[in-house]
Amino acid sequence: FTGEIAGSMLKDAGAHFVLLGHSERRHLYGETDAFINRKMKKAVEIGLQPILCIGETKAEYEAKETHAVIERQLTEGLKDLQPHQLHRLIVAYEPVWAIGNGHSATPEVAQEAQYFCRQMLARILTDELAQQIVIQYGGSV
C-alpha cells in the first residue's frame, strides 16, 4: 500500500520524492487534509520533494464539486507552509473517479482542473511560484 513507510526511512533509502494525499490513503485510512498537511510539513523539513495528490470522487465530480474539492485539498494541504518551502512542490491531479475503472478524464476536463489548480496555487503562494510548480495528471488515460 502507498504510504506505509516513514519519511525518514525514505530519505535514508535515498528517495528524493514522496507521495502525499494519495486517494488510497484518504479513503482507506481516513487521512484528512489536516493530517496530510502535517505530512507535508515533515516532508519539507527532512528534505523530501512532496508530490501532493488531489482529486475528487465520482459523487463529487457528478455533483460538480471538483473546484471545491481542489480548493480545499490545496488550501488545507499547504496550510502554514511558506512559498520558499514549496519551490519543488509537484501537484498530481488524480480524479478518483478516473482511476482503475476504465474511465478517464477527457483532455478538456484534465486541463480545466490543471488551470484551476494553478489559480489556487497563485492565491495560496505567489503568482510566480504557481507558474513554476509542476501539475500533472494522474488518472487513467
Side-chain angles (χ1 to χ4, degrees):
F1 282 95
T2 302
E4 289 297 307
I5 187 167
S8 58
M9 294 170 75
L10 289 173
K11 191 76 174 162
D12 287 347
H16 299 281
F17 300 88
V18 61
L19 283 176
L20 301 171
H22 192 274
S23 63
E24 191 175 84
R25 302 297 303 180
R26 290 179 188 267
H27 300 289
L28 294 179
Y29 295 96
E31 289 191 2
T32 65
D33 294 319
F35 187 70
I36 292 161
N37 177 253
R38 290 198 312 269
K39 286 183 160 189
M40 285 286 298
K41 290 174 182 173
K42 188 64 173 177
V44 169
E45 177 187 315
I46 65 175
L48 287 170
Q49 183 173 351
I51 302 171
L52 178 59
C53 303
I54 61 170
E56 74 282 13
T57 64
K58 184 176 182 182
E60 292 166 332
Y61 177 73
E62 289 174 349
K64 303 198 181 314
E65 296 174 351
T66 299
H67 285 187
V69 171
I70 288 171
E71 182 174 359
R72 185 193 80 241
Q73 291 176 342
L74 286 175
T75 301
E76 294 300 315
L78 302 177
K79 187 176 181 178
D80 299 325
L81 287 160
Q82 300 303 310
H84 74 273
Q85 295 174 298
L86 298 170
H87 68 280
R88 295 177 18 204
L89 172 67
I90 296 172
V91 173
Y93 171 62
E94 299 183 328
V96 181
W97 57 268
I99 298 173
N101 60 14
H103 296 96
S104 59
T106 65
E108 293 78 19
V109 167
Q111 183 63 31
E112 163 58 27
Q114 181 271 344
Y115 177 76
F116 186 74
C117 285
R118 199 159 310 279
Q119 288 179 312
M120 287 305 308
L121 290 168
R123 276 197 260 168
I124 296 166
L125 303 170
T126 67
D127 288 332
E128 183 180 341
L129 184 55
Q131 294 305 314
Q132 297 172 14
I133 291 174
V134 173
I135 302 172
Q136 59 190 29
Y137 173 75
S140 298
V141 293

